Each structure stands twice: as structure tokens, then as C-alpha cells.
Amino acid sequence: MKILVINCGSSSLKYQVIDSETEHVLAKGLCERIGIDGVLTYQPAGQDKIKYEAAMPAHRQAVELVLKQLTDPENGVLTSIDEIDAVGHRMVHGGEKFACSTLLNDEVLQTVEELNDLAPLHNPPTLVGVRACKEILPDTPMVGVFDTAFHQTMEPKAFIYALPYEYYEKYAMRRYGFHGTSHRFVAQRTAELMGKKPEDIKVIVCHLGNGASISAVNGGKCVETSMGLTPLEGLIMGTRSGDIDPTCIEYIAHKENISMEETFEIINKKSGVLGISGVSSDFRDLEEAANNGNKRAALALDAFCHHVTKYIGSYVAVMNGVDAIVFTAGIGENAPGVRAQVMENFKYLGIEIDPVNDSIHGDEQMISTADSKVKVFVVPTNEELAICRDTVEIVTKEIVTETVKKVLGK
Ligand code: ADP
């Protein structure tokens, strides 16, 4: 099958076309500045990137342009849009309604819309993207893959906030967790690398990118994760504060004489390692600055690693043990120094990091020594491939169900 994978933001749309048999990416790209002016990037496999300006007043035009580019007689990878067997959409917040990926029919879209309050910045643009695709490709099945779904196996004791219980009942306030598609993909791949069944191992996945989260996966099921009602909770991130005393928010607003909205802008966009260092949210810049003697950049890196260490330690306790710790995403895959620093404090678990760690940038590799009791891996995440696989599985099931119904004359 040829699957179009779409990840829609408020002014952007990332896309990939994947051949599900070979799992090769046939083409990928990005629409930016939707609703402003519009820039399209397109890269067919093995060829150079093309980038040009094109009017995108709304997501519909962005989808149309992507499809036009994919079927371009000169450098397209499809002869017609009919070659697209299904579209897989990255959805952010599925609340408690979606514990797995699902076919996006009108009823499901209505339910997602009802969850908009939980993710006012993320869910509405995703829905706009799905609806634009449905209008242009009305007969192509669409599947939604939710960032929150994998974490739905958490027990109430892990997801409940210690607030008046009625807020959970009335407003669905609880820990949901995000990056679930990545945590699931990486945990499954780790089991494969260890030659074990997911049911038989305890894994801690450290998804360390600009947004960062950790999850504890016991027997293939998520039992804890660091992000909460929104992606703001948990680790120190590129520009997000992660865990802070909630009183800080009121205190900043009061002292700086700014509104709640402005305060949250600071907590989301001007905090994290950027806030501590005053240098950058990018770890490459921070490492360079720290090496050149910048103390605040060094502090930001230290604080980041300290928090990752703290979460891993607590998740070992939550699972009563661990078989593998895995690093993924931009920092996890590319920053050997961060991995080594975090693992320093787990010698008590019998973890020894192999010097091979220093040379691993984005490759799949075990970075603990062969006799290390707990294994440590770098596993590159691939959320698009995970979305493609789910889409194929759901569409195939649907085809089988429809065929059986026809055969039975229902
Ligand atoms: P997101 O998807 O949340 O935007 P990514 O997973 O793409 O984030 O990670 C981006 C981050 O990865 C960058 O901000 C940077 O901090 C880090 N990163 C990327 N490459 C390197 C590298 N070679 N060394 C250190 N950090 C890196």
C-alpha cells in the first residue's frame, strides 16, 4: 500500500509518502507559513530538496499543493492521487476516548472536536487538516494515530492529579502523556533488539528532543510518563519549564505585572534550557557555549541531565526493576555526552556504558557493555513509520470486515 502520512500544525503540515511493503519513504516534505503566505518543501527519495513559495491561505490549499507535487509529471512519485491507498494522520490529544489508532469517520471527528478544550493549540489544526484531506480525497480511508493513546494503559494511581476529584470527573483533568507513538515504536523495537517479547521486559524510554518526555513500559504497556494534561509537565525541555512549583506562575505574573497568558508564553517558549542558559534551546549551541566556558549553558545541561536521571530513577522504582533504558529523538540520538552523564548514576544497577557511545549519532546501537546487567540502547524514533503501520493495519481490518459483510449479504 502507499500511505500518505500527515502531521498538521497550526501553520505547518509535514508529509511523507511511504510504501508499506518496503517501508521506504518515497517522498517527504513540509508546508510552512500556512495562512500567512506559504512555502512548500518537497524531497523525492534520493533526490535534492525543492523549496518554493506558493499561496496557502488555508490547509486545504496546502493539501492540494502537496498532492499536485506528489503527482508532478517531472519529479512526482505517484502517477495519480488514486495511488494513495490511505492517509494516516498524527493526532495530538485523544483524551480518554482513544486508547488506540482509529478510522476517522464523522463520528470520530466529532468526538475529537469535543476534546478541543484539552488541547486548544494542537487539536483544532489537526482537525482542519483531516477535513481538508477528506474533501479532496473523499473515498480514501483516513486513520488517526493519537499521541496520547499509548499512555492510556496507565493506572488511576499514576494518572490522577491530587486535585478535587470532581475536576477529573467534570473536566477530564488528569495525566495523559504525549509522544506516545514514539514511546511505543521505540519500546517495541527495543524488545526486538533484545530478542524478547515486549510482554517479558521492563523498558524506560527517554524521548529527548526539543519536547522531551520519559515513559516506563512494563510488559509492553505504559505504566508512567512524564508529560501530563499538556506537554508542559515533566522534564526540562528546549523552551518549556517542565515541573515547577505551580505557585511560580502566579508569582511571575504578580512580580512582572503580566497576564496569565503572557506568563504561560514565558513558561512554554522562554524557559527550559533556553531560559536557564540565555544562549539557545539547541543542545549543539549549549554544548559549544559550555565548552567555551559559559557557566549558564553548563548549568542548563547539568540541570537537564539531572532531571532525566531523577525520572529514570523513579521509574525503576515504579516498575520494581528495569531491563533496558533507551534514548531516542534529537538529543537522545545525537548527544553522547548527555547519555553518558545520565547513565553515570546507574552504576548501582550494574550499567556500564561502552566507549562506542561516543561515536553514536542517530544510529541504532546498544551502548552498554555486553556484560552490563541492564542494557542501554540508542533507537532512532520513526513516528511516521509507526503511523503508516497503524494505518495499514486498520485499513486492512476494515477491508476484511467489509468483504465478510458483503459475502454474508449484510
Ligand atoms: P522536536 O521533534 O521536539 O522538535 P527533535 O527530536 O527533532 O525535536 O530534537 C531537536 C533537538 O535535538 C535540537 O533542538 C537539538 O537540541 C538536538 N540535537 C539535534 N542534533 C544534535 C546533535 N548533533 N547534538 C546535540 N543535540 C542535537
Side-chain angles (χ1 to χ4, degrees):
M1 283 187 184
K2 290 198 176 113
I3 306 297
L4 174 62
V5 176
I6 288 198
N7 180 354
C8 244
S10 56
S11 66
S12 70
L13 184 156
K14 286 190 208 147
Y15 63 93
Q16 284 194 2
V17 178
I18 302 177
D19 180 333
S20 69
E21 271 91 59
T22 59
E23 297 199 330
H24 288 159
V25 176
L26 304 179
K28 63 180 178 183
L30 168 70
C31 296
E32 290 167 284
R33 299 176 63 82
I34 301 171
I36 307 166
D37 37 30
V39 180
L40 188 134
T41 308
Y42 172 71
Q43 186 172 29
Q47 293 181 46
D48 290 337
K49 248 186 216 168
I50 306 167
K51 192 169 180 176
Y52 55 91
E53 286 178 21
M56 297 175 201
H59 285 76
R60 188 191 159 102
Q61 287 81 10
V63 176
E64 279 169 353
L65 283 162
V66 167
L67 295 175
K68 191 161 168 252
Q69 187 57 70
L70 289 170
T71 52
D72 184 81
E74 204 181 310
N75 52 22
V77 292
L78 306 172
T79 44
S80 125
I81 55 171
D82 298 338
E83 275 189 62
I84 299 171
D85 294 293
V87 184
H89 291 270
R90 179 198 177 218
M91 313 289 281
V92 178
H93 216 308
E96 290 188 329
K97 303 279 183 192
F98 300 101
C100 56
S101 303
T102 179
L103 208 60
L104 293 172
N105 56 31
D106 290 342
E107 193 188 332
V108 167
L109 290 181
Q110 178 61 37
T111 309
V112 176
E113 192 150 17
E114 285 160 16
L115 298 168
N116 276 355
D117 270 0
L118 287 173
L121 296 180
H122 295 106
N123 272 19
T126 317
L127 282 168
V128 169
V130 175
R131 290 198 165 114
C133 279
K134 274 183 158 272
E135 270 172 45
I136 301 165
L137 300 166
D139 300 322
T140 310
M142 311 264 156
V143 170
V145 179
F146 295 86
D147 246 20
T148 49
F150 181 58
H151 305 303
Q152 277 297 301
T153 46
M154 278 187 291
E155 287 183 36
K157 68 182 175 192
F159 72 64
I160 198 76
Y161 284 139
L163 296 169
Y165 193 77
E166 69 204 67
Y167 297 162
Y168 168 56
E169 293 174 313
K170 283 199 291 191
Y171 310 128
M173 285 178 79
R174 49 159 284 183
R175 173 183 312 287
Y176 287 99
F178 297 85
H179 294 140
T181 312
S182 172
H183 286 284
R184 174 166 58 110
F185 179 88
V186 170
Q188 279 170 358
R189 182 66 192 143
T190 303
E192 280 170 28
L193 291 172
M194 294 176 79
K196 304 250 169 145
K197 289 190 192 138
E199 301 88 275
D200 296 337
I201 53 170
K202 297 171 178 174
V203 183
I204 294 175
V205 179
C206 309
H207 177 112
L208 310 179
N210 198 27
S213 66
I214 302 203
S215 66
V217 184
N218 191 348
K221 294 198 168 121
C222 176
V223 294
E224 252 295 3
T225 194
S226 57
M227 283 178 167
L229 176 75
T230 75
L232 187 51
E233 193 180 343
L235 300 173
I236 295 176
M237 306 183 211
T239 63
R240 295 186 199 129
S241 66
D243 299 333
I244 51 170
D245 181 338
T247 312
C248 295
I249 293 165
E250 194 263 332
Y251 202 65
I252 295 170
H254 173 67
K255 287 283 184 192
E256 295 276 312
N257 195 22
I258 54 176
S259 66
M260 251 331 141
E261 213 175 24
E262 288 166 311
T263 310
F264 272 100
E265 183 84 2
I266 291 168
I267 303 283
N268 269 300
K269 303 216 172 122
K270 297 191 178 154
S271 300
V273 288
L274 169 69
I276 299 175
S277 68
V279 172
S280 171
S281 61
D282 193 303
F283 275 58
R284 286 161 287 198
D285 302 335
L286 291 174
E287 282 171 349
E288 196 187 330
N291 287 338
N292 290 331
N294 185 313
K295 290 210 166 68
R296 274 171 54 190
L299 174 63
L301 289 170
D302 266 357
F304 177 85
C305 291
H306 177 76
H307 281 246
V308 176
T309 305
K310 206 163 80 167
Y311 267 94
I312 294 176
S314 69
Y315 288 180
V316 173
V318 162
M319 292 197 289
N320 191 13
V322 64
D323 297 299
I325 298 172
V326 201
F327 289 89
T328 194
I331 301 158
E333 291 167 29
N334 293 295
V338 169
R339 297 192 296 253
Q341 187 171 339
V342 168
M343 284 297 110
E344 265 296 298
N345 279 16
F346 294 100
K347 293 202 167 130
Y348 77 95
L349 286 178
I351 290 180
E352 281 296 329
I353 293 297
D354 192 287
V356 73
N357 173 52
D358 296 339
S359 59
I360 301 304
H361 296 274
D363 311 310
E364 190 174 84
Q365 176 73 41
M366 185 167 88
I367 56 166
S368 50
T369 56
D371 55 357
S372 183
K373 269 213 256 159
V374 174
K375 306 297 178 207
V376 185
F377 293 91
V378 174
V379 174
T381 191
N382 192 339
E383 287 162 280
E384 290 78 12
L385 181 56
I387 293 173
C388 169
R389 286 177 180 168
D390 278 16
T391 304
V392 171
E393 193 185 319
I394 285 172
V395 169
T396 309
K397 256 192 223 154
E398 184 66 13
I399 293 169
V400 172
T401 312
E402 287 304 311
T403 313
V404 170
K405 272 189 196 162
K406 267 191 203 145
V407 170
L408 297 175
K410 288 191 178 167

